[in-house]
Amino acid sequence: MCGIVGYIGPKEKKEILLDGLQELEYRGYDSAGIAIIEGKKLHDFKAVGKLKNLREKTKNYTSEGFGVSIGHTRWATHGKPTELNAHPHLGAYSYVVHNGIIENYQELKKELQQGGVTFLSQTDTETIVHLFEKYHNEGLTPFEAFKKTVNRLEGAYATLLITEAAPDTIFFAKNGSPMLIGFDGEEVYFASSDTPIIGKANEVYYLEDGEYGYVQNGKVHLFDSHGEKVFHTQPLIADKAMAQKEGYRFFMEKEIYEQSRVMGETMMGRVLEEEIVLDELDADFFEGINAIKICACGTSYHSALTAAYLFERLAKIRCDVEIASEFRYKEPLLTQDTLFVTISQSGETADTLEALKMAKRAGLKSLSVCNVDNSSIVRESDTAILTRAGIEKGVASTKAFATQTMVLWMLTLYVGQVKGTLSKEVLKSEIDAMLHTPKALIVTDELHAKLHRLSKRYLHGHGFFFIGRDIFYPLALEGALKLKEISYLHAEGYPAGEMKHGPIALADAELFTIALMPKTMHYDKIKSNVEELSARDATICAISPLPFELADDFVQTQYSSHPMVEFFEMMVVTQLLALEISVRLGNDVDMPRNLAKSVTVE
Ligand code: M6R
């Protein structure tokens, strides 16, 4: 996830920026850069990879006297992790850093290109600096030009801009992505989270969406749609670990809450009104492909299982899914008309990587769905689609699962499009549902409080069954895995219709059933499966948009327009339930016992 720092004042700026960026390393990044204006002199440095590369590049430079400065760590989303794509982005005499997504950047870019502007990078961010200079060159003051630029931006952004046209000023704007201003007397800092300014600033102001302005002579001028406003700072907390979690108790909790936002990034530029665009795939990528085989482990395997339902139902293409560690030793029959897909959050999972190498040796075309660009799996694959979830720190995967599933859903529609197996109407209704997904992922205070309350009933007992049908079966598997990983309680995911073939023998009041009961997918069937369990006295927690009178606990979901929207909303419920149970049991939510985030051994 990208990070921003900024500083205006007399101190040495290079070290302030580099130290600040270092504090943002935990968010993950693949390139970094800084820009400084001292007097009228502009300096900028960028480097791919770790900050030590940027430190090396700047080792002979020290800033002197008063100046303005901005820095950035970039996690590649639009465009590869290259120096040209790294921030700050340069116009003719200004620099910009930005977090978030400018949704209308293509339209803005086209307009600027028609006016003769040449773009150096593949990023959406570069439009900001060119737009600013265009308005400034038309005669507006730097602040008017910045204001007009911000008014043109659609989407999420936190941005800082410095310019030779106003070398004593930093311009800032925030909408959707976090940014704060830190104060130490006349010196002013900017950052995308508290950590870079702890120990430097004493007071802080957290910018609200829609706010923008500039800082000059130690004074911040803050505006919103009503004009200039008065604001009040607050003391800055001094606990770095706490600050990295951005106020959440655990990284996993933060990542659950982030899902709604990152889903927007996953879809950005790919889900258009009537079409799915995947620039990563050549036009003829699916030529000669008649089947798909997916290999993955753990949570990634569950997203693969979900995708198999979608590929066959929507795209009408055969799809098998295999656990990578099983696939490796089964002497599988592989045919060249099969696309080999690997799914991995880390891109380093040994079993998945080896499975991919096997498939390649057999001459299969390969595609990976991954969260980490340049990881081993991405490098080994013919092509990769990045999930854009940002770094995931909690060992129990949450936002990676959500974004993997979204990418696979997109891929399904893409295959349906290119193979002509999907009607225009179905494609349109699937896209409409996709665009609703971020809403269904919002964690409301009521929902979280309800799951906190409800979790106290589920701390003991002899086990959990998560049950569901169709795509809700892999979701049941994933819900059970989440609970197992962080609560250490026994939990299984089961196809609801299969309970009567054995597991129902376990049913009694101490058996907890988490029933996924979507309205849009086999509701009556799963209802009777749950009734059978209830008749044997199992304790039932039903998750459904429809009231269910036999439930001991009931979590009512809000969205029931499309199975995938229901899927994502129910996913959040199961994640929060696991989290709250784990907290009550006093476990280490982010680093559960015996587990590692990246499993690079067989
Ligand atoms: O990085 P990968 O997605 O390849 O990792 C695969 C599994 O190790 C991973 O999903 C694991 O199951 C997680 N701890 C699940 O929360």
Side-chain angles (χ1 to χ4, degrees), residues 464-485:
F464 285 76
F465 270 92
F466 284 68
I467 59 169
R469 299 181 80 118
D470 205 282
I471 52 171
F472 294 86
Y473 162 49
L475 184 59
L477 289 172
E478 175 57 13
L481 179 64
K482 269 326 55 113
L483 186 66
K484 259 191 283 231
E485 286 185 294

PDB file of all heavy atoms in Angstrom, residues 464-485:
ATOM      1  N   PHE A 464     -17.330 -26.821  15.324  1.00  0.00           N
ATOM      2  CA  PHE A 464     -18.142 -25.971  14.439  1.00  0.00           C
ATOM      3  C   PHE A 464     -18.301 -26.633  13.078  1.00  0.00           C
ATOM      4  O   PHE A 464     -17.324 -27.194  12.551  1.00  0.00           O
ATOM      5  CB  PHE A 464     -17.411 -24.657  14.169  1.00  0.00           C
ATOM      6  CG  PHE A 464     -17.415 -23.687  15.302  1.00  0.00           C
ATOM      7  CD1 PHE A 464     -16.574 -23.877  16.398  1.00  0.00           C
ATOM      8  CD2 PHE A 464     -18.228 -22.566  15.268  1.00  0.00           C
ATOM      9  CE1 PHE A 464     -16.554 -22.964  17.425  1.00  0.00           C
ATOM     10  CE2 PHE A 464     -18.210 -21.652  16.296  1.00  0.00           C
ATOM     11  CZ  PHE A 464     -17.368 -21.847  17.385  1.00  0.00           C
ATOM     12  N   PHE A 465     -19.478 -26.527  12.519  1.00  0.00           N
ATOM     13  CA  PHE A 465     -19.660 -26.833  11.096  1.00  0.00           C
ATOM     14  C   PHE A 465     -20.111 -25.553  10.411  1.00  0.00           C
ATOM     15  O   PHE A 465     -21.100 -24.946  10.808  1.00  0.00           O
ATOM     16  CB  PHE A 465     -20.726 -27.925  10.898  1.00  0.00           C
ATOM     17  CG  PHE A 465     -20.135 -29.299  10.903  1.00  0.00           C
ATOM     18  CD1 PHE A 465     -20.047 -30.020  12.082  1.00  0.00           C
ATOM     19  CD2 PHE A 465     -19.654 -29.869   9.736  1.00  0.00           C
ATOM     20  CE1 PHE A 465     -19.486 -31.280  12.105  1.00  0.00           C
ATOM     21  CE2 PHE A 465     -19.079 -31.132   9.747  1.00  0.00           C
ATOM     22  CZ  PHE A 465     -18.995 -31.850  10.938  1.00  0.00           C
ATOM     23  N   PHE A 466     -19.342 -25.138   9.423  1.00  0.00           N
ATOM     24  CA  PHE A 466     -19.793 -24.048   8.556  1.00  0.00           C
ATOM     25  C   PHE A 466     -20.417 -24.736   7.353  1.00  0.00           C
ATOM     26  O   PHE A 466     -19.744 -25.571   6.712  1.00  0.00           O
ATOM     27  CB  PHE A 466     -18.610 -23.199   8.087  1.00  0.00           C
ATOM     28  CG  PHE A 466     -18.072 -22.265   9.136  1.00  0.00           C
ATOM     29  CD1 PHE A 466     -17.429 -22.753  10.260  1.00  0.00           C
ATOM     30  CD2 PHE A 466     -18.202 -20.882   8.986  1.00  0.00           C
ATOM     31  CE1 PHE A 466     -16.920 -21.887  11.231  1.00  0.00           C
ATOM     32  CE2 PHE A 466     -17.700 -20.011   9.934  1.00  0.00           C
ATOM     33  CZ  PHE A 466     -17.062 -20.511  11.061  1.00  0.00           C
ATOM     34  N   ILE A 467     -21.665 -24.425   7.054  1.00  0.00           N
ATOM     35  CA  ILE A 467     -22.281 -25.126   5.921  1.00  0.00           C
ATOM     36  C   ILE A 467     -22.841 -24.150   4.889  1.00  0.00           C
ATOM     37  O   ILE A 467     -23.295 -23.057   5.202  1.00  0.00           O
ATOM     38  CB  ILE A 467     -23.381 -26.119   6.385  1.00  0.00           C
ATOM     39  CG1 ILE A 467     -24.486 -25.399   7.165  1.00  0.00           C
ATOM     40  CG2 ILE A 467     -22.790 -27.254   7.211  1.00  0.00           C
ATOM     41  CD1 ILE A 467     -25.700 -26.288   7.395  1.00  0.00           C
ATOM     42  N   GLY A 468     -22.776 -24.580   3.647  1.00  0.00           N
ATOM     43  CA  GLY A 468     -23.295 -23.768   2.554  1.00  0.00           C
ATOM     44  C   GLY A 468     -23.408 -24.637   1.314  1.00  0.00           C
ATOM     45  O   GLY A 468     -22.895 -25.760   1.287  1.00  0.00           O
ATOM     46  N   ARG A 469     -24.071 -24.115   0.321  1.00  0.00           N
ATOM     47  CA  ARG A 469     -24.194 -24.855  -0.949  1.00  0.00           C
ATOM     48  C   ARG A 469     -23.636 -24.006  -2.079  1.00  0.00           C
ATOM     49  O   ARG A 469     -23.589 -22.787  -1.987  1.00  0.00           O
ATOM     50  CB  ARG A 469     -25.670 -25.188  -1.224  1.00  0.00           C
ATOM     51  CG  ARG A 469     -26.306 -26.066  -0.166  1.00  0.00           C
ATOM     52  CD  ARG A 469     -27.752 -26.385  -0.506  1.00  0.00           C
ATOM     53  NE  ARG A 469     -27.844 -27.445  -1.481  1.00  0.00           N
ATOM     54  CZ  ARG A 469     -28.429 -28.627  -1.254  1.00  0.00           C
ATOM     55  NH1 ARG A 469     -28.965 -28.911  -0.080  1.00  0.00           N
ATOM     56  NH2 ARG A 469     -28.482 -29.524  -2.200  1.00  0.00           N
ATOM     57  N   ASP A 470     -23.222 -24.683  -3.150  1.00  0.00           N
ATOM     58  CA  ASP A 470     -22.722 -23.975  -4.339  1.00  0.00           C
ATOM     59  C   ASP A 470     -21.520 -23.118  -3.941  1.00  0.00           C
ATOM     60  O   ASP A 470     -20.686 -23.583  -3.168  1.00  0.00           O
ATOM     61  CB  ASP A 470     -23.862 -23.148  -4.964  1.00  0.00           C
ATOM     62  CG  ASP A 470     -23.651 -22.899  -6.440  1.00  0.00           C
ATOM     63  OD1 ASP A 470     -22.842 -22.024  -6.760  1.00  0.00           O
ATOM     64  OD2 ASP A 470     -24.268 -23.567  -7.295  1.00  0.00           O
ATOM     65  N   ILE A 471     -21.447 -21.853  -4.386  1.00  0.00           N
ATOM     66  CA  ILE A 471     -20.284 -21.023  -4.049  1.00  0.00           C
ATOM     67  C   ILE A 471     -20.183 -20.777  -2.544  1.00  0.00           C
ATOM     68  O   ILE A 471     -19.127 -20.365  -2.045  1.00  0.00           O
ATOM     69  CB  ILE A 471     -20.290 -19.667  -4.796  1.00  0.00           C
ATOM     70  CG1 ILE A 471     -21.630 -18.956  -4.600  1.00  0.00           C
ATOM     71  CG2 ILE A 471     -19.975 -19.856  -6.266  1.00  0.00           C
ATOM     72  CD1 ILE A 471     -21.639 -17.522  -5.111  1.00  0.00           C
ATOM     73  N   PHE A 472     -21.279 -21.008  -1.842  1.00  0.00           N
ATOM     74  CA  PHE A 472     -21.240 -20.802  -0.388  1.00  0.00           C
ATOM     75  C   PHE A 472     -20.601 -21.991   0.332  1.00  0.00           C
ATOM     76  O   PHE A 472     -20.343 -21.916   1.518  1.00  0.00           O
ATOM     77  CB  PHE A 472     -22.654 -20.505   0.139  1.00  0.00           C
ATOM     78  CG  PHE A 472     -23.141 -19.189  -0.390  1.00  0.00           C
ATOM     79  CD1 PHE A 472     -23.772 -19.119  -1.640  1.00  0.00           C
ATOM     80  CD2 PHE A 472     -22.912 -18.018   0.294  1.00  0.00           C
ATOM     81  CE1 PHE A 472     -24.172 -17.907  -2.168  1.00  0.00           C
ATOM     82  CE2 PHE A 472     -23.297 -16.788  -0.229  1.00  0.00           C
ATOM     83  CZ  PHE A 472     -23.929 -16.735  -1.463  1.00  0.00           C
ATOM     84  N   TYR A 473     -20.352 -23.071  -0.411  1.00  0.00           N
ATOM     85  CA  TYR A 473     -19.595 -24.187   0.178  1.00  0.00           C
ATOM     86  C   TYR A 473     -18.115 -23.798   0.333  1.00  0.00           C
ATOM     87  O   TYR A 473     -17.562 -23.889   1.442  1.00  0.00           O
ATOM     88  CB  TYR A 473     -19.826 -25.465  -0.643  1.00  0.00           C
ATOM     89  CG  TYR A 473     -18.783 -26.523  -0.399  1.00  0.00           C
ATOM     90  CD1 TYR A 473     -18.426 -26.900   0.895  1.00  0.00           C
ATOM     91  CD2 TYR A 473     -18.136 -27.150  -1.471  1.00  0.00           C
ATOM     92  CE1 TYR A 473     -17.436 -27.862   1.112  1.00  0.00           C
ATOM     93  CE2 TYR A 473     -17.163 -28.108  -1.250  1.00  0.00           C
ATOM     94  CZ  TYR A 473     -16.809 -28.449   0.041  1.00  0.00           C
ATOM     95  OH  TYR A 473     -15.835 -29.384   0.261  1.00  0.00           O
ATOM     96  N   PRO A 474     -17.419 -23.311  -0.745  1.00  0.00           N
ATOM     97  CA  PRO A 474     -16.059 -22.818  -0.501  1.00  0.00           C
ATOM     98  C   PRO A 474     -16.003 -21.703   0.539  1.00  0.00           C
ATOM     99  O   PRO A 474     -15.042 -21.608   1.296  1.00  0.00           O
ATOM    100  CB  PRO A 474     -15.595 -22.295  -1.868  1.00  0.00           C
ATOM    101  CG  PRO A 474     -16.575 -22.783  -2.870  1.00  0.00           C
ATOM    102  CD  PRO A 474     -17.777 -23.331  -2.180  1.00  0.00           C
ATOM    103  N   LEU A 475     -17.053 -20.891   0.584  1.00  0.00           N
ATOM    104  CA  LEU A 475     -17.049 -19.838   1.611  1.00  0.00           C
ATOM    105  C   LEU A 475     -17.142 -20.465   3.007  1.00  0.00           C
ATOM    106  O   LEU A 475     -16.531 -19.978   3.964  1.00  0.00           O
ATOM    107  CB  LEU A 475     -18.205 -18.854   1.372  1.00  0.00           C
ATOM    108  CG  LEU A 475     -18.245 -17.664   2.323  1.00  0.00           C
ATOM    109  CD1 LEU A 475     -16.954 -16.839   2.255  1.00  0.00           C
ATOM    110  CD2 LEU A 475     -19.448 -16.763   2.029  1.00  0.00           C
ATOM    111  N   ALA A 476     -17.894 -21.553   3.103  1.00  0.00           N
ATOM    112  CA  ALA A 476     -17.977 -22.277   4.383  1.00  0.00           C
ATOM    113  C   ALA A 476     -16.598 -22.832   4.749  1.00  0.00           C
ATOM    114  O   ALA A 476     -16.164 -22.753   5.905  1.00  0.00           O
ATOM    115  CB  ALA A 476     -19.003 -23.396   4.277  1.00  0.00           C
ATOM    116  N   LEU A 477     -15.896 -23.381   3.752  1.00  0.00           N
ATOM    117  CA  LEU A 477     -14.538 -23.889   4.005  1.00  0.00           C
ATOM    118  C   LEU A 477     -13.632 -22.758   4.504  1.00  0.00           C
ATOM    119  O   LEU A 477     -12.848 -22.926   5.435  1.00  0.00           O
ATOM    120  CB  LEU A 477     -13.937 -24.471   2.719  1.00  0.00           C
ATOM    121  CG  LEU A 477     -14.522 -25.778   2.198  1.00  0.00           C
ATOM    122  CD1 LEU A 477     -13.944 -26.080   0.820  1.00  0.00           C
ATOM    123  CD2 LEU A 477     -14.220 -26.925   3.152  1.00  0.00           C
ATOM    124  N   GLU A 478     -13.765 -21.618   3.877  1.00  0.00           N
ATOM    125  CA  GLU A 478     -12.920 -20.485   4.237  1.00  0.00           C
ATOM    126  C   GLU A 478     -13.277 -19.954   5.632  1.00  0.00           C
ATOM    127  O   GLU A 478     -12.392 -19.634   6.435  1.00  0.00           O
ATOM    128  CB  GLU A 478     -13.061 -19.389   3.163  1.00  0.00           C
ATOM    129  CG  GLU A 478     -12.339 -18.085   3.426  1.00  0.00           C
ATOM    130  CD  GLU A 478     -10.831 -18.226   3.650  1.00  0.00           C
ATOM    131  OE1 GLU A 478     -10.260 -19.292   3.380  1.00  0.00           O
ATOM    132  OE2 GLU A 478     -10.249 -17.245   4.137  1.00  0.00           O
ATOM    133  N   GLY A 479     -14.579 -19.900   5.929  1.00  0.00           N
ATOM    134  CA  GLY A 479     -15.012 -19.455   7.265  1.00  0.00           C
ATOM    135  C   GLY A 479     -14.447 -20.377   8.334  1.00  0.00           C
ATOM    136  O   GLY A 479     -13.964 -19.929   9.385  1.00  0.00           O
ATOM    137  N   ALA A 480     -14.488 -21.668   8.070  1.00  0.00           N
ATOM    138  CA  ALA A 480     -13.978 -22.643   9.044  1.00  0.00           C
ATOM    139  C   ALA A 480     -12.465 -22.512   9.192  1.00  0.00           C
ATOM    140  O   ALA A 480     -11.933 -22.587  10.306  1.00  0.00           O
ATOM    141  CB  ALA A 480     -14.353 -24.056   8.594  1.00  0.00           C
ATOM    142  N   LEU A 481     -11.771 -22.296   8.062  1.00  0.00           N
ATOM    143  CA  LEU A 481     -10.309 -22.152   8.135  1.00  0.00           C
ATOM    144  C   LEU A 481      -9.931 -20.915   8.959  1.00  0.00           C
ATOM    145  O   LEU A 481      -9.032 -20.963   9.807  1.00  0.00           O
ATOM    146  CB  LEU A 481      -9.703 -22.057   6.727  1.00  0.00           C
ATOM    147  CG  LEU A 481      -8.188 -21.874   6.663  1.00  0.00           C
ATOM    148  CD1 LEU A 481      -7.457 -23.075   7.248  1.00  0.00           C
ATOM    149  CD2 LEU A 481      -7.705 -21.635   5.240  1.00  0.00           C
ATOM    150  N   LYS A 482     -10.644 -19.818   8.722  1.00  0.00           N
ATOM    151  CA  LYS A 482     -10.351 -18.592   9.483  1.00  0.00           C
ATOM    152  C   LYS A 482     -10.485 -18.858  10.974  1.00  0.00           C
ATOM    153  O   LYS A 482      -9.640 -18.497  11.773  1.00  0.00           O
ATOM    154  CB  LYS A 482     -11.337 -17.480   9.127  1.00  0.00           C
ATOM    155  CG  LYS A 482     -11.140 -16.503   8.071  1.00  0.00           C
ATOM    156  CD  LYS A 482      -9.844 -15.945   7.672  1.00  0.00           C
ATOM    157  CE  LYS A 482      -8.787 -16.908   7.293  1.00  0.00           C
ATOM    158  NZ  LYS A 482      -8.321 -16.988   5.984  1.00  0.00           N
ATOM    159  N   LEU A 483     -11.596 -19.513  11.342  1.00  0.00           N
ATOM    160  CA  LEU A 483     -11.850 -19.762  12.761  1.00  0.00           C
ATOM    161  C   LEU A 483     -10.777 -20.673  13.358  1.00  0.00           C
ATOM    162  O   LEU A 483     -10.232 -20.404  14.426  1.00  0.00           O
ATOM    163  CB  LEU A 483     -13.244 -20.374  12.929  1.00  0.00           C
ATOM    164  CG  LEU A 483     -13.669 -20.544  14.384  1.00  0.00           C
ATOM    165  CD1 LEU A 483     -13.846 -19.189  15.055  1.00  0.00           C
ATOM    166  CD2 LEU A 483     -14.969 -21.325  14.479  1.00  0.00           C
ATOM    167  N   LYS A 484     -10.475 -21.753  12.637  1.00  0.00           N
ATOM    168  CA  LYS A 484      -9.444 -22.685  13.098  1.00  0.00           C
ATOM    169  C   LYS A 484      -8.121 -21.956  13.350  1.00  0.00           C
ATOM    170  O   LYS A 484      -7.487 -22.123  14.367  1.00  0.00           O
ATOM    171  CB  LYS A 484      -9.168 -23.705  11.982  1.00  0.00           C
ATOM    172  CG  LYS A 484      -9.829 -25.038  12.165  1.00  0.00           C
ATOM    173  CD  LYS A 484      -9.266 -26.028  11.162  1.00  0.00           C
ATOM    174  CE  LYS A 484      -9.849 -25.804   9.790  1.00  0.00           C
ATOM    175  NZ  LYS A 484     -10.395 -26.940   9.120  1.00  0.00           N
ATOM    176  N   GLU A 485      -7.729 -21.165  12.358  1.00  0.00           N
ATOM    177  CA  GLU A 485      -6.402 -20.554  12.412  1.00  0.00           C
ATOM    178  C   GLU A 485      -6.203 -19.664  13.624  1.00  0.00           C
ATOM    179  O   GLU A 485      -5.148 -19.670  14.231  1.00  0.00           O
ATOM    180  CB  GLU A 485      -6.161 -19.684  11.159  1.00  0.00           C
ATOM    181  CG  GLU A 485      -5.914 -20.462   9.911  1.00  0.00           C
ATOM    182  CD  GLU A 485      -5.552 -19.534   8.747  1.00  0.00           C
ATOM    183  OE1 GLU A 485      -6.416 -18.745   8.327  1.00  0.00           O
ATOM    184  OE2 GLU A 485      -4.413 -19.586   8.259  1.00  0.00           O
TER     185      GLU A 485
END
